[in-house]
Structure formats: C-alpha cells, structure tokens
Amino acid sequence: NAGVMQNPRHLVRRRGQEARLRCSPMKGHSHVYWYRQLPEEGLKFMVYLQKENIIDESGMPKERFSAEFPKEGPSILRIQQVVRGDSAAYFCASSPRPSGRGSQETQYFGPGTRLLVL
Amino acid sequence: AQSVTQLGSHVSVSEGALVLLRCNYSSSVPPYLFWYVQYPNQGLQLLLKYTSAATLVKGINGFEAEFKKSETSFHLTKPSAHMSDAAEYFCAVSSSGSARQLTFGSGTQLTVLP
C-alpha cells in the first residue's frame, strides 16, 4: 500500500512565477491536509479538503494561494506570483473518512515538496 | 483554541541514556495528542498517539508517552537512546470536534552522542 505521494520533491521558481504542488493521498483516504514548514519552525496548517470540497482554509494566506482536490486526480496546492517568503517545505497529509463526529483519524504525511524561490 | 509548547529546541543525550522530550498542550476540549519524528529531508512519521484510551501510550521504536491531564503534558520517553534516534521530534494536538487540523509544536532536535 503506497503512502502519500508528493511531487515534485524539489521545486525552484523565480519571483513572480507560479508553483504547483501535487499530492496523491493514500489509497482509501478521502481527506487531504496541507501544511507549510518554514526553516527552523514546526508545521503550520494551511487547508483541509475532501473530494471537490474545501472544508477548512483558515490557515491559507488570503492572496495568491489556492487548493483543490478534484473528483479525479491529486490534490493541488497552487501558489501564484511566488515571492522569496514562500520558500518552505510544503507537506501533504491524508486520512481516512472520520469514523464519527468528533473522531480524529491519524494523518499520514508525504515526503514534502521543498520550494525555493530565487 | 489549541497550542503546543515543546520545551528545549535541542536535546543531547548519550547513546544508551534516557530520552525525555517535553510537550505541554493547551486545549479547550479533550485533546488528541501525537508525536511525530522527522528525519532530514523527509516527511513526518507517526510515533504514537493518544486518543483518550490508556494514558500511557506505547509507540514504535521503543518510544512511549504519558498523558497527564493535571499537568497538561504529553512527554515522550525512551529508556535507552540509539544513534538512529537522532532526528527532529514534533508534538501535535488536535481537539475533538469538527476541527481536524493538527497544531504542531516548534520541534525538538535530538542529538545522540556516541
């Protein structure tokens, strides 16, 4: 059973370009989470999605960032007009459908995409 | 609101010595608590989790953690450190309820000395 897949593993962009980060959840998982890790810091929650639905985007910057999880295909985190401050590791995690209200299923993390903005 | 504090950004122990990594949490509702380990340039691997069952939780690689509600703590321990334990360790909290995001501490870098 393959784990969470992310690609690319490393991405270099110049200021003003667009970055697209992809995440394929574990088989059978329908919930995806994106986190950002700045150098020397812990992970910060960005967005939580189910298929075709954004559930919680309270951690997403208001501008330039968007996320989707279409019915078919991977989840995409898109950063438009990147700036140097966007340089970070972006991690995707997936979990199965919660078993009940208030339950917390384990989140399994991918290897991350390391974005460098020149 | 929920938060996690990891005391000590860097911890060094000798091989074979006790490992103790501290984590204190804040949560307005009963929490779920997790410890993850991150090796260089890799993703996070789950070590163990607390979900309101037994307060002493055993995880992989010989690690365990004890949930102490009165102290709002969830410290990670291992009786005898191994060189392969050198990594960064993150404590995380998620509150029971509809919010499922994890809130992470800032991490503790563990160094194991020969």
Side-chain angles (χ1 to χ4, degrees):
Chain A
N1 187 10
V4 178
M5 310 283 283
Q6 289 188 250
N7 68 81
R9 294 289 305 274
H10 299 273
L11 183 61
V12 180
R13 285 288 178 266
R14 297 190 181 279
R15 281 179 297 170
Q17 290 184 319
E18 178 180 285
R20 281 185 177 239
L21 287 61
R22 295 174 187 78
C23 169
S24 296
M26 285 179 70
K27 187 177 180 181
H29 287 189
S30 56
H31 294 243
V32 164
Y33 311 77
W34 285 94
Y35 294 83
R36 177 165 63 176
Q37 184 180 31
L38 295 170
E40 307 296 324
E41 294 187 17
L43 280 72
K44 297 287 194 292
F45 168 78
M46 299 181 75
V47 62
Y48 163 38
L49 310 103
Q50 297 174 23
K51 288 278 187 183
E52 300 183 283
N53 223 358
I54 296 175
I55 305 302
D56 181 355
E57 55 181 348
S58 58
M60 286 279 269
K62 298 300 181 197
E63 298 176 348
R64 302 187 297 107
F65 285 71
S66 62
E68 62 176 7
F69 189 15
K71 187 177 180 180
E72 301 291 337
S75 175
I76 306 286
L77 179 68
R78 182 182 178 204
I79 312 172
Q80 296 178 290
Q81 299 176 315
V82 296
V83 300
R84 288 211 173 115
D86 297 332
S87 295
Y90 292 83
F91 290 95
C92 168
S94 73
S95 71
R97 185 170 179 267
S99 57
R101 182 177 174 81
S103 65
Q104 176 63 55
E105 306 302 327
T106 297
Q107 294 181 22
Y108 295 88
F109 283 79
T113 294
R114 280 149 184 87
L115 172 65
L116 176 62
V117 180
L118 301 176
Chain B
Q2 54 195 31
S3 65
V4 174
T5 301
Q6 290 184 242
L7 292 175
S9 58
H10 292 83
V11 170
S12 293
V13 300
S14 298
E15 191 175 17
L18 172 71
V19 176
L20 171 61
L21 304 182
R22 299 178 186 275
C23 172
N24 289 87
Y25 70 91
S26 170
S27 177
S28 56
V29 296
Y32 294 102
L33 293 158
F34 304 81
W35 275 100
Y36 285 87
V37 60
Q38 184 180 31
Y39 296 98
N41 296 317
Q42 294 188 26
L44 276 70
Q45 180 182 3
L46 180 70
L47 278 176
L48 49 81
K49 65 178 181 179
Y50 166 77
T51 56
S52 77
T55 56
L56 182 62
V57 182
K58 293 187 184 299
I60 62 171
N61 301 339
F63 285 94
E64 62 182 37
E66 186 173 7
F67 172 70
K68 292 187 176 180
K69 184 178 179 181
S70 60
E71 298 177 9
T72 60
S73 68
F74 190 57
H75 302 331
L76 181 70
T77 60
K78 182 174 180 178
S80 177
H82 192 273
M83 296 297 287
S84 61
D85 295 327
E88 186 142 28
Y89 292 78
F90 291 96
C91 181
V93 64
S94 176
S95 297
S96 59
S98 59
R100 302 189 190 285
Q101 59 176 275
L102 293 175
T103 298
F104 284 86
S106 54
T108 297
Q109 181 67 46
L110 176 66
T111 300
V112 181
L113 305 170

